[in-house]
Every structure is written in C-alpha cells, then in structure tokens.
C-alpha cells in the first residue's frame, strides 16, 4: 500500500511541475493519436473523464466526440452502479503505468470498481504523459481488483497488449 502512495505522490509532483504549454501540446498530440484508433472511430458511446489540473486534457476530446463524431458521452460517477454500461469505450486517467498495461489511478478505486462491471468487449484506453510510464524493468504491484488497460496513449507512443510503437 505504501508503495502505491509514494509512487503516486512522486508522479503527481512531476506532473504538477509541467508547464501549461507542454501539457497543452502533449494533450493535443495524444488526442490526435486517439482519433486514429479503430476503437475510437467505431465507438458510439464513450465514458470519459473530465481532466483536472495537469492531467492529459480531455476538453478537446469531449468537444470532438460531441460535435464532430456524434458520439454519446458519459462521465464517470463515483458509484459504479450509476455509470452506464451501454458503452463501447472507456477513457481513463491515471497517475502511473507500466508497459504491461498496469495502472495506478487517482487512488479512490472508482474506475476499478466500474471497469470490473463491464464486459470484455468494452475497450479501456488510458491517456498519460510518457514520463508516467515505468521502464521495462519495473512493474506495478496490482491488487486483485485492478484492471489492466487495452491501450495507453502518450505523446510519444501507443502501448498495447501486443507491444508498443513510437511515432514522431
């Protein structure tokens, strides 16, 4: 438990020290990459977080989904039973990840409880800055209820269960 707490505090500290312009630039690049994924293009209903502070911004993604792509947008509720299960895609925040698709979230367990209620056809995509991804040599310690991601998109790469690729 203390390991998760310390790692979250360290990554939150690093993220909070980012310049606004860097957050904005990286968020835009991450959003553009998301729009190219088949999972995004084919989704009719999306559950997506509202970004806070220096998290990867979802403001433009929500606007694009609503006004351009005609997707139905849901936002996560604190109680999992209040979240719609009629969705095709979930876009989640996180504080720290590893290349094996593991995630430590904000620390309240909302997403893990919600994701555990969904079917296996619903894809889960995390948005993060590349520094939030631990190197190959380090793995997050997961609890039984923790859910792995299907994709992690950063400003430098897309990580998926089959491996990852970098882009320019």
């Amino acid at each position: 438990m203390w390991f998760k707490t310390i790692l979250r505090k360290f990554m939150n500290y690093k993220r909070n020290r980012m310049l606004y312009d860097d957050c904005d630039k990286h968020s835009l690049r991450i959003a553009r990459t998301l729009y190219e994924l088949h999972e995004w293009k084919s989704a009719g209903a999306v559950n997506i977080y509202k970004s806070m502070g220096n998290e990867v911004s979802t403001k433009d993604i929500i606007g694009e989904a609503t006004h351009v792509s005609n997707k139905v947008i849901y936002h996560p509720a604190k109680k999992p039973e209040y979240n719609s299960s009629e969705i095709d895609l979930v876009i989640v925040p996180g504080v720290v990840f590893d290349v094996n698709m593991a995630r430590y979230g904000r620390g309240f367990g909302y997403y893990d409880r919600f994701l555990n209620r969904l079917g296996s056809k619903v894809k889960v995509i995390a948005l993060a800055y590349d520094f939030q991804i631990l190197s190959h040599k380090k793995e997050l310690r997961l609890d039984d209820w923790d859910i792995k991601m299907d994709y992690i998109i950063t400003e430098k790469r897309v990580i998926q269960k089959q491996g990852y690729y970098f882009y320019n």
Side-chain angles (χ1 to χ4, degrees):
M1 184 72 145
W2 61 269
F3 178 75
K4 276 187 177 183
T5 303
I6 291 170
L7 199 50
R8 277 190 185 108
K9 283 185 180 203
F10 174 72
M11 284 298 185
N12 276 324
Y13 173 79
K14 277 184 82 169
R15 190 175 63 200
N16 290 338
R17 291 185 46 90
M18 290 178 68
L19 299 174
Y20 175 78
D21 286 347
D22 288 338
C23 293
D24 196 44
K25 179 177 66 173
H26 294 331
S27 293
L28 183 59
R29 185 173 180 113
I30 290 166
R32 287 181 181 153
T33 302
L34 172 67
Y35 303 152
E36 295 302 315
L37 289 182
H38 168 75
E39 287 74 10
W40 173 262
K41 291 177 182 178
S42 65
V46 179
N47 185 298
I48 184 169
Y49 70 99
K50 291 182 181 179
S51 51
M52 299 185 307
N54 277 5
E55 287 181 327
V56 173
S57 176
T58 57
K59 181 182 170 200
D60 290 340
I61 296 170
I62 293 166
E64 196 279 341
T66 305
H67 302 296
V68 179
S69 299
N70 296 319
K71 297 182 185 308
V72 177
I73 296 297
Y74 296 95
H75 298 292
K78 290 186 178 183
K79 293 190 175 190
E81 60 271 18
Y82 295 158
N83 284 301
S84 173
S85 58
E86 301 297 317
I87 56 174
D88 306 302
L89 179 64
V90 181
I91 299 178
V92 301
V95 178
V96 62
F97 302 86
D98 69 23
V99 294
N100 297 315
M101 313 306 288
R103 164 190 171 270
Y104 286 174
R106 294 172 177 163
F108 303 107
Y110 301 140
Y111 273 100
D112 292 314
R113 289 192 301 274
F114 170 48
L115 297 175
N116 272 307
R117 298 172 59 94
L118 298 176
S120 60
K121 290 186 178 185
V122 177
K123 296 298 180 193
V124 181
I125 298 176
L127 308 180
Y129 301 113
D130 206 66
F131 71 82
Q132 293 176 270
I133 313 296
L134 298 180
S135 72
H136 310 12
K137 299 171 187 165
K138 297 178 183 164
E139 288 186 24
L140 298 178
R141 300 176 195 159
L142 297 183
D143 293 312
D144 293 340
W145 57 83
D146 289 327
I147 300 293
K148 288 193 172 191
M149 305 295 95
D150 292 302
Y151 292 87
I152 304 170
I153 302 174
T154 78
E155 74 278 8
K156 295 182 180 179
R157 58 186 163 163
V158 174
I159 304 169
Q160 51 192 335
K161 290 183 179 177
Q162 300 83 8
Y164 57 92
Y165 59 89
F166 290 88
Y167 52 89
N168 293 329

